[in-house]
Amino acid sequence: MTKLKIVIQVTMPDARSRSQAMVLAARANGVGSVAITGDLRDRLEVVGEGVDITCLVSCLRKKLCHAEILKVEEVKPEEKKKEEKKPEEPKPCACPGPCGCAGGYWHAPVPMVLCEPEPPAGACRIM
C-alpha cells in the first residue's frame, strides 16, 4: 500500500471542535499523523496508509456538520542524500626530531623497565 496525504476542509469554529476532529481522525484505521492547517485553521491534514477516506469524512460530518475532501495525494518517500566521503589526509606529526610515527599516527613509547638490586634483608620494603 502507499501512503496518502488527505486534506479535508472541516467546520471548526473553536478549540473544542478542532480537538474533536483530531481525535476522530486519529482513531481511524491506518492514520499515521494528523495536523490542522490553513490560514483559518479549518483544514485537517491526515497522512496514513490504507485510510478509508469516505468513512473518515462521514464520521467528521456526523460529529462536526460539514466536511469536504479537498486533496488526496500520494506521499513520496524522501531521498536520503548520500554524502561523498573524502579520504582523510594524514595529519602532520608533532614529534620533535625524526618522526617514528607510522602514517602520521603517534604511538605511546614503550615503558622502560629498570631492574634494581634486592634491598638488604633488614631494610623496610614499604619505603
Side-chain angles (χ1 to χ4, degrees):
M1 294 209 156
T2 59
K3 267 191 171 182
L4 296 176
K5 177 181 171 184
I6 306 152
V7 179
I8 304 169
Q9 186 172 6
V10 184
T11 305
M12 300 182 285
D14 57 356
R16 182 174 181 226
S17 60
R18 285 187 199 103
S19 172
Q20 199 173 22
M22 289 189 71
V23 167
L24 285 171
R27 286 185 182 171
N29 289 334
V31 173
S33 66
V34 179
I36 295 178
T37 59
D39 294 337
L40 301 174
R41 299 182 53 85
D42 63 341
R43 295 181 183 187
L44 195 63
E45 187 175 292
V46 180
V47 178
E49 198 170 318
V51 180
D52 187 3
I53 303 167
T54 55
C55 179
L56 175 62
V57 171
S58 67
C59 287
L60 288 169
R61 283 180 182 159
K62 285 179 185 176
K63 296 287 182 176
L64 301 171
C65 293
H66 178 75
E68 177 183 347
I69 301 171
L70 296 180
K71 180 171 45 173
V72 178
E73 63 183 19
E74 185 177 337
V75 177
K76 297 178 183 174
E78 294 179 16
E79 295 179 14
K80 295 181 181 179
K81 296 180 182 177
K82 294 183 179 179
E83 295 180 12
E84 294 179 16
K85 294 184 179 180
K86 297 179 182 177
E88 293 183 16
E89 296 179 16
K91 296 177 184 175
C93 184
C95 299
C99 183
C101 303
Y105 296 102
W106 182 77
H107 298 284
V110 178
M112 289 184 67
V113 178
L114 299 175
C115 297
E116 296 182 16
E118 289 272 334
C124 179
R125 290 182 171 226
I126 295 176
M127 294 182 94

